[in-house]
Amino acid sequence: MEEQKKKGNEFSVIPRNYGWEHAIKNGFTHHWCLDDNIKGFFYRNKGQLLPIIKTGYSFFFIEEYIKKYSNVYQAGMYITYLGSTEGDRSIIIKNSRIYSCMLNRHYKNFRFEGHHNEDTDLSLRFLKEGKATLDFQIFQCGKQSTLSVKGGNTASAYLDKGFDDKADEIVRKYPDIAKKVFKYNRPHHEINYRKHFSNNELTVNQYKINLSPLNFIK
């Protein structure tokens, strides 16, 4: 922990990096990192979100799907309470930030960094390296909205000037693409991912996905 703090890491960054190191030591090329306030996993079909009976299916699907591409370094599930992004109803959103339910590919010395928004920061570092990310809207996680439940970073990261600090940290690190805005009654950082990362094309592999049919609650 002290070594992590010397690097400037705090809050949830420290246990997330512990999980990353643990995955590498056990020989894995990727690892999942999930927030602790997710209450379910869902399949989106014709505008409806249907609870998945076997939640492992959504994780396995994503793991299988990204094997089609050699340059996807981060993937994840969209968050239910966000709805569709700017009217984007595609099955998968390419080259956006991944957070709350993310599959990270081990790359160079990449780890989570900083005090706040370490998930967004990680996505931006992958994207700035020319790598691709895939955010699955067909499978979504039922993450609870910020400050809606107790625990986690509530006391340490979000009180007082926590939201200002979160926005400022990203803007300070990425002034070329990020700006600070005020919306939803609090400060945020804002990035146009489509504008800045549309050239991060997918590199296709010769891989055939083999999945069993999905069962869901009607």
Coordinates of all heavy atoms in Angstrom, one line a residue, residues 1 5 25 43 51 60 62 69 78-80 85 93 103 113 126 156 168-169 202 212:
M1 N 0.8 -1.2 0.0 CA 0.0 0.0 0.0 C 0.9 1.3 0.0 O 0.6 2.2 -0.7 CB -1.0 0.0 1.2 CG -1.9 1.2 1.2 SD -3.1 1.2 2.6 CE -4.1 -0.2 2.1
K5 N 1.0 4.4 -2.6 CA 0.8 5.8 -2.2 C 2.0 6.7 -2.7 O 1.8 7.9 -3.1 CB 0.6 5.9 -0.7 CG -0.7 5.4 -0.3 CD -0.9 5.6 1.2 CE -2.3 5.2 1.7 NZ -2.5 5.4 3.1
K25 N 0.4 -12.6 -11.9 CA 1.2 -13.6 -11.3 C 0.6 -15.0 -11.5 O 1.3 -16.0 -11.5 CB 1.2 -13.3 -9.7 CG 2.1 -12.2 -9.4 CD 2.0 -11.9 -7.9 CE 2.9 -10.7 -7.5 NZ 2.9 -10.4 -6.1
Y43 N -29.7 -8.3 -20.5 CA -29.6 -8.4 -21.9 C -30.6 -7.4 -22.6 O -31.7 -7.4 -22.2 CB -29.9 -9.8 -22.4 CG -30.0 -10.1 -23.8 CD1 -28.8 -10.1 -24.6 CD2 -31.2 -10.4 -24.4 CE1 -28.9 -10.3 -26.0 CE2 -31.3 -10.6 -25.8 CZ -30.1 -10.6 -26.6 OH -30.2 -10.8 -27.9
P51 N -33.4 -9.5 -17.4 CA -32.4 -10.1 -16.5 C -31.8 -11.4 -17.0 O -32.6 -12.2 -17.5 CB -33.2 -10.3 -15.2 CG -34.4 -9.4 -15.3 CD -34.7 -9.3 -16.8
F60 N -18.6 -14.4 -20.5 CA -17.9 -15.3 -21.5 C -18.1 -14.8 -22.9 O -17.2 -14.9 -23.8 CB -18.5 -16.7 -21.3 CG -18.0 -17.7 -22.3 CD1 -16.6 -18.0 -22.3 CD2 -18.8 -18.3 -23.3 CE1 -16.1 -19.0 -23.1 CE2 -18.2 -19.2 -24.2 CZ -16.9 -19.6 -24.1
I62 N -18.3 -11.7 -24.0 CA -17.4 -10.6 -24.2 C -16.0 -11.1 -24.4 O -15.2 -10.7 -25.3 CB -17.5 -9.6 -23.1 CG1 -18.8 -8.9 -23.2 CG2 -16.3 -8.5 -23.2 CD1 -19.1 -7.9 -22.0
Y69 N -10.4 -9.8 -32.5 CA -9.6 -8.6 -32.8 C -8.3 -8.7 -32.0 O -8.3 -9.0 -30.8 CB -10.3 -7.3 -32.5 CG -11.7 -7.3 -33.1 CD1 -12.8 -7.5 -32.4 CD2 -11.9 -7.0 -34.5 CE1 -14.1 -7.5 -32.9 CE2 -13.1 -7.0 -35.1 CZ -14.3 -7.2 -34.3 OH -15.5 -7.2 -34.8
Y78 N -22.1 -1.9 -20.7 CA -22.7 -0.6 -20.5 C -23.5 -0.6 -19.2 O -23.9 -1.6 -18.7 CB -23.6 -0.3 -21.7 CG -24.0 1.2 -21.9 CD1 -23.0 2.1 -22.3 CD2 -25.3 1.6 -21.6 CE1 -23.3 3.4 -22.4 CE2 -25.6 3.0 -21.8 CZ -24.6 3.9 -22.2 OH -24.9 5.2 -22.4
I79 N -23.8 0.6 -18.7 CA -24.5 0.8 -17.4 C -25.9 1.1 -17.6 O -26.3 2.0 -18.4 CB -23.8 1.9 -16.5 CG1 -22.4 1.5 -16.2 CG2 -24.6 2.1 -15.3 CD1 -21.6 2.5 -15.5
T80 N -26.8 0.3 -17.0 CA -28.2 0.4 -17.3 C -28.8 1.8 -17.1 O -29.6 2.3 -17.9 CB -29.0 -0.6 -16.4 OG1 -28.7 -0.3 -15.0 CG2 -28.7 -2.0 -16.7
T85 N -26.3 6.1 -25.3 CA -25.4 7.2 -25.4 C -25.7 8.0 -26.6 O -25.5 7.6 -27.7 CB -23.9 6.7 -25.5 OG1 -23.6 5.9 -24.4 CG2 -22.9 7.8 -25.6
I93 N -20.4 -0.1 -28.6 CA -19.9 1.3 -28.8 C -18.3 1.1 -28.9 O -17.7 0.6 -28.0 CB -20.2 2.2 -27.7 CG1 -21.8 2.4 -27.6 CG2 -19.6 3.6 -27.9 CD1 -22.2 3.1 -26.4
L103 N -13.1 -5.4 -18.7 CA -12.2 -6.4 -18.9 C -10.9 -5.8 -19.5 O -10.9 -5.2 -20.6 CB -12.7 -7.4 -19.9 CG -11.8 -8.6 -20.4 CD1 -11.4 -9.4 -19.2 CD2 -12.5 -9.4 -21.5
E113 N -4.1 4.4 -12.2 CA -3.3 5.5 -11.7 C -4.2 6.6 -11.1 O -5.3 6.8 -11.5 CB -2.5 6.2 -12.8 CG -1.4 5.3 -13.4 CD -0.7 6.0 -14.5 OE1 -1.0 7.2 -14.8 OE2 0.3 5.4 -15.1
F126 N -5.1 3.7 -23.1 CA -5.2 2.7 -24.1 C -5.5 3.4 -25.5 O -4.9 3.1 -26.5 CB -6.3 1.7 -23.8 CG -5.8 0.6 -22.9 CD1 -6.6 0.3 -21.8 CD2 -4.7 -0.1 -23.1 CE1 -6.2 -0.8 -20.9 CE2 -4.3 -1.1 -22.2 CZ -5.1 -1.5 -21.2
S156 N -14.6 9.1 1.2 CA -13.2 9.5 0.9 C -13.1 10.3 -0.3 O -12.2 11.2 -0.4 CB -12.3 8.3 0.9 OG -12.8 7.4 -0.1
D168 N -11.2 17.9 -12.4 CA -9.9 18.6 -12.6 C -8.8 17.6 -12.9 O -7.9 17.9 -13.7 CB -9.5 19.4 -11.4 CG -10.5 20.6 -11.2 OD1 -11.1 21.0 -12.1 OD2 -10.5 21.1 -10.0
E169 N -8.8 16.4 -12.3 CA -7.7 15.5 -12.5 C -7.6 15.0 -14.0 O -6.5 15.0 -14.6 CB -7.9 14.3 -11.6 CG -6.7 13.3 -11.6 CD -6.7 12.3 -10.5 OE1 -7.4 12.5 -9.5 OE2 -6.0 11.3 -10.7
L202 N -10.4 -1.4 -35.7 CA -10.3 -2.8 -35.2 C -9.4 -3.6 -36.2 O -9.6 -3.5 -37.4 CB -11.6 -3.4 -35.1 CG -12.5 -2.8 -34.0 CD1 -13.9 -3.3 -34.1 CD2 -12.0 -3.0 -32.6
S212 N -23.2 -20.9 -26.9 CA -24.5 -21.6 -26.7 C -25.6 -20.5 -26.7 O -25.3 -19.4 -26.5 CB -24.5 -22.4 -25.4 OG -24.3 -21.6 -24.3

